[in-house]
Amino acid sequence: MRWGVEQRLEFIEFRLFWEGSINRADIVEFFGVSVPQASKDLTLYQERAPGNMDYDTRAKRYVAAEKFVLRFLDPDPYVYLAQLRSVAEGTVPSHDSWIAALPRADVALTPKRDIDIKVLRRILDAAREGASVDVFYQSMNKVRPDPIWRRITPHAFGYDGFRWHTRAYCHIEHKFKDFLLPRILEVGAIGQPGATGEQDWLWNNYFDVEIGPHPDLTESQKKVVAKDYGFDHGNGVLSVRYAMLFYVLKRLGLLGDAIKQNARTQHIVAINRKETEAALERAEFRQ
């Protein structure tokens, strides 16, 4: 079966599962196929998933049957919410979302980081080719208050929830570092690589952060926090790259001793706090 048809069958099931109905016009509008093709897709879906939808003559739409069974999708609430978030943030136009009846939604916006598309393409090229590249970089280092040209060998990308960086070997400091993409002002020539990504210990190794509900919460509050974070048996484990550990802890409010924070605002703590602090020191030392 051609991928295009398979995708349209998933689309049909997505609409039936999340919104309860679909018609030919939905398929025609989203995929740009002909009306006869949309009819064939709906017929094929009925053949492959018998009993999953009925035709509502009043609404002139196919509706999800009472005994609807998923055949093509493994639905994930985060996939649905990711689409909703992308539309709310304005990164994806509403007509590109599989969601037809978009509920009202908003997100806690942060200022959009200005990433030069030419810079991104050149960094991507260097990473794919395993090459080094000259970048004109503005750091916040007191030693280098002005932007300078420096050579880096990028091998990966990281996102801390607010901004993107490239993980790269710095040919000046002879170690792996994070370089924020918006602070790369220009890109120069590509050249021979320095150390490769396989040699980046902090990127290739992980530390397990054990997290659980704040001890000052009530038992019922602890249970709902455990459910909220998907903890098994009350606690959970996040396996985090050493290179991303600082960002993860910062975002979760775990850089300091979370037990000393107000449980009403800081709901989780690091169970293995001493080991986590030692891991963070190790990451900063080897950075």
Side-chain angles (χ1 to χ4, degrees):
M1 189 181 298
R2 291 180 294 114
W3 166 245
V5 178
E6 188 74 27
Q7 189 179 38
R8 294 197 296 274
L9 292 177
E10 290 180 6
F11 176 82
I12 292 169
E13 190 155 279
F14 180 95
R15 286 286 177 89
L16 289 171
F17 180 78
W18 288 110
E19 304 192 6
S21 68
I22 191 170
N23 63 13
R24 290 180 302 179
D26 296 332
I27 303 170
V28 170
E29 182 180 345
F30 192 87
F31 292 99
V33 298
S34 65
V35 172
Q37 181 60 60
S39 296
K40 288 181 180 179
D41 292 337
L42 289 166
T43 300
L44 181 59
Y45 182 82
Q46 287 177 308
E47 293 172 357
R48 296 285 301 275
N52 258 14
M53 64 182 186
D54 301 318
Y55 188 71
D56 186 334
T57 54
R58 282 189 176 182
K60 296 183 179 180
R61 296 180 66 84
Y62 289 93
V63 296
E66 186 176 345
K67 295 183 179 180
F68 178 87
V69 178
L70 289 161
R71 298 293 175 89
F72 297 94
L73 287 179
D74 182 11
D76 184 336
Y78 286 99
V79 172
Y80 181 92
L81 294 174
Q83 287 198 37
L84 188 58
R85 174 184 173 182
S86 297
V87 173
E89 288 179 331
T91 56
V92 172
S94 59
H95 58 77
D96 282 348
S97 169
W98 280 22
I99 305 171
L102 282 160
R104 290 184 178 181
D106 204 347
V107 295
L109 294 174
T110 56
K112 187 178 180 181
R113 303 290 175 137
D114 183 22
I115 299 175
D116 189 321
I117 192 168
K118 294 179 181 178
V119 166
L120 177 58
R121 289 186 67 194
R122 295 297 298 281
I123 298 298
L124 285 167
D125 287 343
R128 277 193 297 264
E129 295 171 17
S132 66
V133 63
D134 283 327
V135 297
F136 193 50
Y137 191 76
Q138 173 66 72
S139 72
M140 295 295 139
N141 195 316
K142 291 183 180 179
V143 179
R144 302 186 187 92
D146 299 315
I148 63 168
W149 282 99
R150 59 200 303 167
R151 182 163 285 273
I152 65 173
T153 300
H155 71 84
F157 293 85
Y159 181 64
D160 69 355
F162 299 101
R163 55 192 186 180
W164 282 94
H165 64 261
T166 183
R167 182 74 179 170
Y169 179 76
C170 175
H171 292 232
I172 292 180
E173 300 182 36
H174 305 291
K175 61 182 180 180
F176 290 96
K177 299 184 63 176
D178 300 335
F179 294 89
L180 293 174
L181 294 179
R183 294 182 188 171
I184 299 176
L185 307 179
E186 296 180 54
V187 180
I190 283 180
Q192 293 299 312
T196 64
E198 288 74 19
Q199 296 169 275
D200 189 350
W201 190 92
L202 295 178
W203 181 264
N204 294 309
N205 287 275
Y206 294 77
F207 175 77
D208 288 343
V209 183
E210 298 175 29
I211 54 179
H214 197 293
D216 289 346
L217 294 174
T218 66
E219 288 306 310
S220 62
Q221 289 170 337
K222 288 177 182 178
K223 286 181 181 179
V224 78
V225 168
K227 178 179 179 296
D228 187 19
Y229 284 86
F231 297 159
D232 292 326
H233 310 295
N235 296 330
V237 175
L238 285 179
S239 190
V240 184
R241 295 180 192 272
Y242 277 86
M244 296 295 293
L245 186 57
F246 172 83
Y247 305 118
V248 172
L249 295 178
K250 182 180 180 181
R251 195 166 190 192
L252 294 176
L254 299 176
L255 275 177
D257 187 355
I259 291 179
K260 296 179 181 178
Q261 303 299 316
N262 190 323
R264 303 296 173 264
T265 55
Q266 180 59 41
H267 301 149
I268 59 172
V269 299
I271 305 299
N272 58 340
R273 182 176 64 85
K274 290 185 178 180
E275 293 83 355
T276 300
E277 289 176 351
L280 187 58
E281 284 185 21
R282 185 179 191 183
E284 292 175 344
F285 176 75
R286 297 190 63 157
Q287 188 83 302

